mmCIF file of all heavy atoms in Angstrom:
data_model
loop_
_atom_site.group_PDB
_atom_site.id
_atom_site.type_symbol
_atom_site.label_atom_id
_atom_site.label_comp_id
_atom_site.label_asym_id
_atom_site.label_seq_id
_atom_site.Cartn_x
_atom_site.Cartn_y
_atom_site.Cartn_z
ATOM 1 N N GLU A 52 -6.317 -10.923 -15.147
ATOM 2 C CA GLU A 52 -6.638 -9.705 -15.886
ATOM 3 C C GLU A 52 -8.020 -9.158 -15.550
ATOM 4 O O GLU A 52 -8.301 -7.994 -15.789
ATOM 5 C CB GLU A 52 -6.564 -9.974 -17.384
ATOM 6 C CG GLU A 52 -7.636 -10.932 -17.884
ATOM 7 C CD GLU A 52 -7.466 -11.237 -19.357
ATOM 8 O OE1 GLU A 52 -7.910 -10.452 -20.198
ATOM 9 O OE2 GLU A 52 -6.864 -12.273 -19.662
ATOM 10 N N GLU A 61 -9.106 -22.553 -4.000
ATOM 11 C CA GLU A 61 -9.449 -23.854 -3.405
ATOM 12 C C GLU A 61 -9.793 -24.866 -4.494
ATOM 13 O O GLU A 61 -9.641 -26.063 -4.302
ATOM 14 C CB GLU A 61 -10.623 -23.708 -2.434
ATOM 15 C CG GLU A 61 -10.231 -23.006 -1.148
ATOM 16 C CD GLU A 61 -11.323 -23.033 -0.088
ATOM 17 O OE1 GLU A 61 -12.475 -23.416 -0.386
ATOM 18 O OE2 GLU A 61 -11.021 -22.643 1.047
ATOM 19 N N GLU A 62 -10.315 -24.370 -5.599
ATOM 20 C CA GLU A 62 -10.558 -25.231 -6.758
ATOM 21 C C GLU A 62 -9.897 -24.582 -7.965
ATOM 22 O O GLU A 62 -9.775 -23.349 -8.018
ATOM 23 C CB GLU A 62 -12.063 -25.384 -7.025
ATOM 24 C CG GLU A 62 -12.795 -26.145 -5.945
ATOM 25 C CD GLU A 62 -14.263 -26.417 -6.325
ATOM 26 O OE1 GLU A 62 -14.650 -26.167 -7.492
ATOM 27 O OE2 GLU A 62 -15.005 -26.865 -5.442
ATOM 28 N N ILE A 63 -9.508 -25.382 -8.948
ATOM 29 C CA ILE A 63 -8.849 -24.828 -10.132
ATOM 30 C C ILE A 63 -9.875 -24.090 -10.987
ATOM 31 O O ILE A 63 -10.895 -24.660 -11.373
ATOM 32 C CB ILE A 63 -8.194 -25.953 -10.961
ATOM 33 C CG1 ILE A 63 -7.016 -26.543 -10.170
ATOM 34 C CG2 ILE A 63 -7.708 -25.417 -12.303
ATOM 35 C CD1 ILE A 63 -6.351 -27.698 -10.856
ATOM 36 N N ALA A 68 -12.559 -15.509 -15.645
ATOM 37 C CA ALA A 68 -13.742 -14.914 -15.027
ATOM 38 C C ALA A 68 -14.487 -15.953 -14.181
ATOM 39 O O ALA A 68 -15.637 -15.761 -13.821
ATOM 40 C CB ALA A 68 -14.674 -14.338 -16.090
ATOM 41 N N ASP A 69 -13.829 -17.067 -13.901
ATOM 42 C CA ASP A 69 -14.431 -18.112 -13.073
ATOM 43 C C ASP A 69 -14.661 -17.541 -11.664
ATOM 44 O O ASP A 69 -13.770 -16.899 -11.112
ATOM 45 C CB ASP A 69 -13.460 -19.306 -13.027
ATOM 46 C CG ASP A 69 -14.107 -20.565 -12.488
ATOM 47 O OD1 ASP A 69 -14.696 -20.506 -11.391
ATOM 48 O OD2 ASP A 69 -14.018 -21.606 -13.157
ATOM 49 N N ARG A 71 -14.360 -18.884 -9.034
ATOM 50 C CA ARG A 71 -13.356 -19.445 -8.118
ATOM 51 C C ARG A 71 -12.199 -18.487 -7.838
ATOM 52 O O ARG A 71 -11.492 -18.638 -6.856
ATOM 53 C CB ARG A 71 -12.840 -20.780 -8.670
ATOM 54 C CG ARG A 71 -13.829 -21.901 -8.385
ATOM 55 C CD ARG A 71 -13.768 -23.035 -9.375
ATOM 56 N NE ARG A 71 -14.953 -23.879 -9.185
ATOM 57 C CZ ARG A 71 -16.170 -23.563 -9.634
ATOM 58 N NH1 ARG A 71 -16.350 -22.464 -10.330
ATOM 59 N NH2 ARG A 71 -17.202 -24.344 -9.384
ATOM 60 N N TYR A 74 -12.870 -15.695 -4.686
ATOM 61 C CA TYR A 74 -12.931 -16.063 -3.276
ATOM 62 C C TYR A 74 -11.639 -15.689 -2.545
ATOM 63 O O TYR A 74 -10.552 -16.033 -2.999
ATOM 64 C CB TYR A 74 -13.200 -17.564 -3.139
ATOM 65 C CG TYR A 74 -13.205 -18.028 -1.709
ATOM 66 C CD1 TYR A 74 -14.114 -17.505 -0.797
ATOM 67 C CD2 TYR A 74 -12.282 -18.967 -1.266
ATOM 68 C CE1 TYR A 74 -14.110 -17.912 0.526
ATOM 69 C CE2 TYR A 74 -12.274 -19.384 0.059
ATOM 70 C CZ TYR A 74 -13.196 -18.848 0.952
ATOM 71 O OH TYR A 74 -13.181 -19.250 2.267
ATOM 72 N N SER A 80 -11.261 -6.263 -8.273
ATOM 73 C CA SER A 80 -11.460 -4.952 -8.879
ATOM 74 C C SER A 80 -11.945 -5.087 -10.318
ATOM 75 O O SER A 80 -12.912 -5.786 -10.575
ATOM 76 C CB SER A 80 -10.195 -4.113 -8.760
ATOM 77 O OG SER A 80 -9.107 -4.751 -9.389
ATOM 78 N N SER A 81 -11.270 -4.462 -11.255
ATOM 79 C CA SER A 81 -11.802 -4.374 -12.607
ATOM 80 C C SER A 81 -10.686 -4.545 -13.634
ATOM 81 O O SER A 81 -9.505 -4.593 -13.289
ATOM 82 C CB SER A 81 -12.425 -2.997 -12.803
ATOM 83 O OG SER A 81 -11.405 -2.014 -12.707
ATOM 84 N N PHE A 86 -4.968 -4.109 -15.655
ATOM 85 C CA PHE A 86 -3.974 -3.752 -16.669
ATOM 86 C C PHE A 86 -3.118 -2.575 -16.210
ATOM 87 O O PHE A 86 -1.939 -2.494 -16.555
ATOM 88 C CB PHE A 86 -4.643 -3.483 -18.014
ATOM 89 C CG PHE A 86 -5.070 -4.757 -18.663
ATOM 90 C CD1 PHE A 86 -6.384 -5.183 -18.598
ATOM 91 C CD2 PHE A 86 -4.150 -5.569 -19.305
ATOM 92 C CE1 PHE A 86 -6.777 -6.384 -19.162
ATOM 93 C CE2 PHE A 86 -4.529 -6.776 -19.869
ATOM 94 C CZ PHE A 86 -5.850 -7.188 -19.805
ATOM 95 N N GLN A 90 0.829 -1.969 -16.415
ATOM 96 C CA GLN A 90 1.385 -0.815 -17.130
ATOM 97 C C GLN A 90 2.135 0.110 -16.163
ATOM 98 O O GLN A 90 3.099 0.766 -16.557
ATOM 99 C CB GLN A 90 0.262 -0.055 -17.850
ATOM 100 C CG GLN A 90 0.757 0.962 -18.877
ATOM 101 C CD GLN A 90 -0.372 1.560 -19.706
ATOM 102 O OE1 GLN A 90 -0.299 1.615 -20.914
ATOM 103 N NE2 GLN A 90 -1.421 2.007 -19.044
ATOM 104 N N TYR A 121 -6.640 -12.098 -42.598
ATOM 105 C CA TYR A 121 -7.347 -11.513 -41.451
ATOM 106 C C TYR A 121 -8.842 -11.350 -41.719
ATOM 107 O O TYR A 121 -9.675 -11.629 -40.857
ATOM 108 C CB TYR A 121 -6.716 -10.158 -41.095
ATOM 109 C CG TYR A 121 -7.441 -9.405 -40.010
ATOM 110 C CD1 TYR A 121 -7.394 -9.839 -38.684
ATOM 111 C CD2 TYR A 121 -8.182 -8.257 -40.297
ATOM 112 C CE1 TYR A 121 -8.061 -9.155 -37.677
ATOM 113 C CE2 TYR A 121 -8.848 -7.563 -39.285
ATOM 114 C CZ TYR A 121 -8.778 -8.013 -37.988
ATOM 115 O OH TYR A 121 -9.446 -7.332 -36.995
ATOM 116 N N TYR A 122 -9.169 -10.883 -42.925
ATOM 117 C CA TYR A 122 -10.572 -10.544 -43.228
ATOM 118 C C TYR A 122 -11.420 -11.775 -43.517
ATOM 119 O O TYR A 122 -12.632 -11.766 -43.349
ATOM 120 C CB TYR A 122 -10.631 -9.568 -44.401
ATOM 121 C CG TYR A 122 -9.901 -8.284 -44.073
ATOM 122 C CD1 TYR A 122 -8.570 -8.098 -44.454
ATOM 123 C CD2 TYR A 122 -10.524 -7.286 -43.334
ATOM 124 C CE1 TYR A 122 -7.888 -6.934 -44.121
ATOM 125 C CE2 TYR A 122 -9.852 -6.119 -42.997
ATOM 126 C CZ TYR A 122 -8.542 -5.947 -43.393
ATOM 127 O OH TYR A 122 -7.870 -4.807 -43.041
ATOM 128 N N ARG A 127 -10.448 -18.673 -37.235
ATOM 129 C CA ARG A 127 -10.461 -17.501 -36.387
ATOM 130 C C ARG A 127 -10.318 -17.968 -34.937
ATOM 131 O O ARG A 127 -10.986 -18.902 -34.513
ATOM 132 C CB ARG A 127 -11.770 -16.722 -36.584
ATOM 133 C CG ARG A 127 -12.034 -15.609 -35.583
ATOM 134 C CD ARG A 127 -11.100 -14.425 -35.750
ATOM 135 N NE ARG A 127 -11.034 -13.676 -34.493
ATOM 136 C CZ ARG A 127 -10.718 -12.387 -34.394
ATOM 137 N NH1 ARG A 127 -10.403 -11.690 -35.473
ATOM 138 N NH2 ARG A 127 -10.670 -11.809 -33.215
ATOM 139 N N SER A 129 -9.790 -16.615 -30.603
ATOM 140 C CA SER A 129 -10.507 -15.707 -29.707
ATOM 141 C C SER A 129 -10.076 -14.252 -29.845
ATOM 142 O O SER A 129 -10.853 -13.359 -29.617
ATOM 143 C CB SER A 129 -10.314 -16.172 -28.268
ATOM 144 O OG SER A 129 -8.940 -16.377 -28.012
ATOM 145 N N SER A 131 -7.025 -11.032 -29.091
ATOM 146 C CA SER A 131 -6.017 -10.618 -28.115
ATOM 147 C C SER A 131 -6.431 -10.927 -26.685
ATOM 148 O O SER A 131 -5.648 -11.464 -25.905
ATOM 149 C CB SER A 131 -5.757 -9.112 -28.213
ATOM 150 O OG SER A 131 -5.140 -8.641 -27.041
ATOM 151 N N GLY A 132 -7.669 -10.607 -26.323
ATOM 152 C CA GLY A 132 -8.009 -10.613 -24.906
ATOM 153 C C GLY A 132 -7.004 -9.747 -24.186
ATOM 154 O O GLY A 132 -6.657 -8.650 -24.642
ATOM 155 N N SER A 139 2.781 -6.111 -24.053
ATOM 156 C CA SER A 139 3.251 -4.738 -24.217
ATOM 157 C C SER A 139 3.889 -4.196 -22.933
ATOM 158 O O SER A 139 4.802 -3.389 -22.989
ATOM 159 C CB SER A 139 2.085 -3.813 -24.597
ATOM 160 O OG SER A 139 1.504 -4.185 -25.823
ATOM 161 N N LEU A 162 0.085 -10.331 -36.080
ATOM 162 C CA LEU A 162 0.874 -10.068 -34.867
ATOM 163 C C LEU A 162 -0.051 -9.466 -33.808
ATOM 164 O O LEU A 162 -0.354 -8.278 -33.833
ATOM 165 C CB LEU A 162 2.054 -9.125 -35.174
ATOM 166 C CG LEU A 162 3.191 -9.076 -34.131
ATOM 167 C CD1 LEU A 162 4.445 -8.413 -34.726
ATOM 168 C CD2 LEU A 162 2.809 -8.401 -32.826
ATOM 169 N N ASN B 33 -19.123 -15.135 -17.082
ATOM 170 C CA ASN B 33 -19.535 -14.580 -15.793
ATOM 171 C C ASN B 33 -20.423 -13.346 -15.959
ATOM 172 O O ASN B 33 -20.091 -12.447 -16.727
ATOM 173 C CB ASN B 33 -18.294 -14.206 -14.971
ATOM 174 C CG ASN B 33 -18.592 -14.167 -13.482
ATOM 175 O OD1 ASN B 33 -19.496 -13.463 -13.041
ATOM 176 N ND2 ASN B 33 -17.844 -14.940 -12.719
ATOM 177 N N ALA B 77 -12.302 -7.576 -28.171
ATOM 178 C CA ALA B 77 -10.944 -7.991 -27.799
ATOM 179 C C ALA B 77 -10.825 -9.512 -27.743
ATOM 180 O O ALA B 77 -9.754 -10.062 -27.995
ATOM 181 C CB ALA B 77 -10.557 -7.401 -26.452
ATOM 182 N N GLY B 79 -13.300 -13.352 -27.928
ATOM 183 C CA GLY B 79 -14.544 -14.120 -27.945
ATOM 184 C C GLY B 79 -14.252 -15.542 -27.516
ATOM 185 O O GLY B 79 -13.777 -16.355 -28.306
ATOM 186 N N GLN B 96 -15.283 -16.176 -40.200
ATOM 187 C CA GLN B 96 -14.765 -17.026 -41.283
ATOM 188 C C GLN B 96 -15.670 -16.993 -42.514
ATOM 189 O O GLN B 96 -15.206 -17.109 -43.640
ATOM 190 C CB GLN B 96 -14.607 -18.472 -40.782
ATOM 191 C CG GLN B 96 -13.446 -18.630 -39.824
ATOM 192 C CD GLN B 96 -13.489 -19.883 -38.964
ATOM 193 O OE1 GLN B 96 -12.776 -19.965 -37.988
ATOM 194 N NE2 GLN B 96 -14.347 -20.841 -39.308
ATOM 195 N N ASN B 98 -17.541 -14.416 -43.395
ATOM 196 C CA ASN B 98 -17.784 -13.021 -43.794
ATOM 197 C C ASN B 98 -19.218 -12.565 -43.530
ATOM 198 O O ASN B 98 -19.823 -11.858 -44.324
ATOM 199 C CB ASN B 98 -17.483 -12.828 -45.286
ATOM 200 C CG ASN B 98 -16.027 -13.138 -45.599
ATOM 201 O OD1 ASN B 98 -15.132 -12.589 -44.972
ATOM 202 N ND2 ASN B 98 -15.789 -14.033 -46.543
ATOM 203 N N ASP B 104 -10.670 -5.666 -34.263
ATOM 204 C CA ASP B 104 -9.983 -6.220 -33.094
ATOM 205 C C ASP B 104 -9.273 -5.154 -32.259
ATOM 206 O O ASP B 104 -8.555 -4.308 -32.812
ATOM 207 C CB ASP B 104 -8.922 -7.232 -33.546
ATOM 208 C CG ASP B 104 -9.503 -8.604 -33.797
ATOM 209 O OD1 ASP B 104 -9.732 -9.321 -32.816
ATOM 210 O OD2 ASP B 104 -9.743 -8.951 -34.981
ATOM 211 N N ASN B 107 -8.088 -6.118 -24.651
ATOM 212 C CA ASN B 107 -9.001 -5.901 -23.523
ATOM 213 C C ASN B 107 -8.803 -4.547 -22.867
ATOM 214 O O ASN B 107 -9.755 -3.879 -22.484
ATOM 215 C CB ASN B 107 -8.738 -6.962 -22.447
ATOM 216 C CG ASN B 107 -9.713 -8.096 -22.543
ATOM 217 O OD1 ASN B 107 -10.670 -8.019 -23.311
ATOM 218 N ND2 ASN B 107 -9.486 -9.135 -21.777
ATOM 219 N N TYR B 108 -7.526 -4.200 -22.714
ATOM 220 C CA TYR B 108 -7.256 -2.921 -22.043
ATOM 221 C C TYR B 108 -7.713 -1.764 -22.918
ATOM 222 O O TYR B 108 -8.286 -0.790 -22.424
ATOM 223 C CB TYR B 108 -5.762 -2.807 -21.731
ATOM 224 C CG TYR B 108 -5.424 -1.689 -20.765
ATOM 225 C CD1 TYR B 108 -6.203 -1.447 -19.647
ATOM 226 C CD2 TYR B 108 -4.309 -0.891 -20.973
ATOM 227 C CE1 TYR B 108 -5.882 -0.428 -18.754
ATOM 228 C CE2 TYR B 108 -3.978 0.129 -20.082
ATOM 229 C CZ TYR B 108 -4.766 0.356 -18.982
ATOM 230 O OH TYR B 108 -4.457 1.350 -18.096
ATOM 231 N N THR B 126 -2.494 4.787 -24.028
ATOM 232 C CA THR B 126 -1.948 3.564 -23.429
ATOM 233 C C THR B 126 -0.711 3.156 -24.208
ATOM 234 O O THR B 126 -0.492 3.633 -25.332
ATOM 235 C CB THR B 126 -2.980 2.416 -23.439
ATOM 236 O OG1 THR B 126 -2.342 1.224 -22.968
ATOM 237 C CG2 THR B 126 -3.524 2.144 -24.829
ATOM 238 N N LEU B 127 0.078 2.257 -23.610
ATOM 239 C CA LEU B 127 1.207 1.679 -24.343
ATOM 240 C C LEU B 127 0.826 0.322 -24.930
ATOM 241 O O LEU B 127 1.644 -0.334 -25.561
ATOM 242 C CB LEU B 127 2.417 1.520 -23.414
ATOM 243 C CG LEU B 127 2.899 2.799 -22.721
ATOM 244 C CD1 LEU B 127 4.115 2.507 -21.850
ATOM 245 C CD2 LEU B 127 3.243 3.871 -23.750
ATOM 246 N N GLY B 129 -0.277 -2.298 -27.398
ATOM 247 C CA GLY B 129 -0.489 -2.496 -28.827
ATOM 248 C C GLY B 129 0.539 -1.880 -29.739
ATOM 249 O O GLY B 129 0.499 -2.107 -30.957
ATOM 250 N N ASP B 133 -0.223 -5.731 -34.995
ATOM 251 C CA ASP B 133 -1.032 -5.561 -36.209
ATOM 252 C C ASP B 133 -2.365 -4.881 -35.915
ATOM 253 O O ASP B 133 -3.077 -4.473 -36.836
ATOM 254 C CB ASP B 133 -1.277 -6.920 -36.877
ATOM 255 C CG ASP B 133 -0.058 -7.392 -37.662
ATOM 256 O OD1 ASP B 133 0.877 -6.581 -37.858
ATOM 257 O OD2 ASP B 133 -0.025 -8.564 -38.082
ATOM 258 N N TRP B 138 -6.980 -2.693 -40.122
ATOM 259 C CA TRP B 138 -8.305 -2.220 -39.709
ATOM 260 C C TRP B 138 -9.379 -3.142 -40.265
ATOM 261 O O TRP B 138 -9.431 -3.383 -41.468
ATOM 262 C CB TRP B 138 -8.558 -0.799 -40.231
ATOM 263 C CG TRP B 138 -7.694 0.254 -39.611
ATOM 264 C CD1 TRP B 138 -6.632 0.061 -38.766
ATOM 265 C CD2 TRP B 138 -7.816 1.665 -39.795
ATOM 266 N NE1 TRP B 138 -6.094 1.269 -38.407
ATOM 267 C CE2 TRP B 138 -6.793 2.272 -39.022
ATOM 268 C CE3 TRP B 138 -8.695 2.463 -40.521
ATOM 269 C CZ2 TRP B 138 -6.629 3.660 -38.972
ATOM 270 C CZ3 TRP B 138 -8.526 3.835 -40.468
ATOM 271 C CH2 TRP B 138 -7.505 4.423 -39.697
ATOM 272 N N PHE B 203 -15.433 -6.293 -13.568
ATOM 273 C CA PHE B 203 -14.986 -6.337 -14.971
ATOM 274 C C PHE B 203 -14.908 -4.916 -15.519
ATOM 275 O O PHE B 203 -14.210 -4.083 -14.950
ATOM 276 C CB PHE B 203 -15.876 -7.267 -15.808
ATOM 277 C CG PHE B 203 -16.022 -8.632 -15.195
ATOM 278 C CD1 PHE B 203 -17.255 -9.135 -14.812
ATOM 279 C CD2 PHE B 203 -14.901 -9.418 -14.977
ATOM 280 C CE1 PHE B 203 -17.372 -10.392 -14.226
ATOM 281 C CE2 PHE B 203 -15.008 -10.680 -14.390
ATOM 282 C CZ PHE B 203 -16.254 -11.168 -14.020
ATOM 283 N N ASP B 262 -23.195 -20.558 -9.925
ATOM 284 C CA ASP B 262 -22.023 -20.778 -10.755
ATOM 285 C C ASP B 262 -22.448 -20.760 -12.224
ATOM 286 O O ASP B 262 -23.647 -20.790 -12.529
ATOM 287 C CB ASP B 262 -21.432 -22.156 -10.411
ATOM 288 C CG ASP B 262 -19.926 -22.146 -10.379
ATOM 289 O OD1 ASP B 262 -19.334 -21.590 -11.325
ATOM 290 O OD2 ASP B 262 -19.343 -22.704 -9.427
ATOM 291 N N TYR B 263 -21.462 -20.766 -13.121
ATOM 292 C CA TYR B 263 -21.803 -21.014 -14.522
ATOM 293 C C TYR B 263 -22.222 -22.472 -14.661
ATOM 294 O O TYR B 263 -21.771 -23.323 -13.898
ATOM 295 C CB TYR B 263 -20.625 -20.694 -15.453
ATOM 296 C CG TYR B 263 -19.315 -21.378 -15.130
ATOM 297 C CD1 TYR B 263 -18.999 -22.635 -15.664
ATOM 298 C CD2 TYR B 263 -18.391 -20.785 -14.280
ATOM 299 C CE1 TYR B 263 -17.807 -23.260 -15.363
ATOM 300 C CE2 TYR B 263 -17.186 -21.401 -13.969
ATOM 301 C CZ TYR B 263 -16.898 -22.640 -14.517
ATOM 302 O OH TYR B 263 -15.713 -23.255 -14.205
ATOM 303 N N ARG B 315 -20.197 -19.807 1.600
ATOM 304 C CA ARG B 315 -18.842 -19.457 2.042
ATOM 305 C C ARG B 315 -17.982 -18.973 0.872
ATOM 306 O O ARG B 315 -17.339 -17.933 0.944
ATOM 307 C CB ARG B 315 -18.184 -20.667 2.717
ATOM 308 C CG ARG B 315 -16.770 -20.382 3.252
ATOM 309 C CD ARG B 315 -16.153 -21.616 3.898
ATOM 310 N NE ARG B 315 -15.863 -22.659 2.937
ATOM 311 C CZ ARG B 315 -14.710 -22.810 2.285
ATOM 312 N NH1 ARG B 315 -13.720 -21.975 2.503
ATOM 313 N NH2 ARG B 315 -14.541 -23.794 1.423
ATOM 314 N N SER B 319 -20.276 -22.888 -6.721
ATOM 315 C CA SER B 319 -20.773 -24.222 -6.404
ATOM 316 C C SER B 319 -19.585 -25.164 -6.199
ATOM 317 O O SER B 319 -18.872 -25.489 -7.144
ATOM 318 C CB SER B 319 -21.669 -24.728 -7.536
ATOM 319 O OG SER B 319 -22.037 -26.071 -7.304
ATOM 320 N N ASN B 321 -17.231 -28.258 -5.707
ATOM 321 C CA ASN B 321 -17.171 -29.626 -6.263
ATOM 322 C C ASN B 321 -18.186 -29.904 -7.362
ATOM 323 O O ASN B 321 -18.575 -31.039 -7.595
ATOM 324 C CB ASN B 321 -17.323 -30.684 -5.162
ATOM 325 C CG ASN B 321 -16.113 -30.717 -4.259
ATOM 326 O OD1 ASN B 321 -14.982 -30.504 -4.726
ATOM 327 N ND2 ASN B 321 -16.329 -30.950 -2.977
ATOM 328 N N ARG B 324 -17.547 -30.074 -13.705
ATOM 329 C CA ARG B 324 -17.263 -28.986 -14.642
ATOM 330 C C ARG B 324 -16.674 -29.448 -15.958
ATOM 331 O O ARG B 324 -16.297 -28.635 -16.783
ATOM 332 C CB ARG B 324 -16.302 -27.979 -13.990
ATOM 333 C CG ARG B 324 -16.968 -27.107 -12.939
ATOM 334 C CD ARG B 324 -16.013 -26.065 -12.426
ATOM 335 N NE ARG B 324 -14.971 -26.626 -11.582
ATOM 336 C CZ ARG B 324 -13.744 -26.118 -11.484
ATOM 337 N NH1 ARG B 324 -13.418 -25.073 -12.167
ATOM 338 N NH2 ARG B 324 -12.857 -26.682 -10.689
#
Side-chain angles (χ1 to χ4, degrees):
Chain A
E52 67 184 277
E61 288 189 349
E62 293 187 9
I63 292 177
D69 194 307
R71 281 153 193 78
Y74 177 60
S80 59
S81 64
F86 285 100
Q90 193 172 229
Y121 175 71
Y122 299 95
R127 169 70 203 205
S129 50
S131 161
S139 298
L162 197 165
Chain B
N33 203 305
Q96 288 162 195
N98 299 307
D104 277 281
N107 262 352
Y108 193 42
T126 174
L127 303 181
D133 282 349
W138 292 8
F203 308 119
D262 220 313
Y263 54 89
R315 182 181 68 91
S319 174
N321 291 325
R324 286 185 288 149

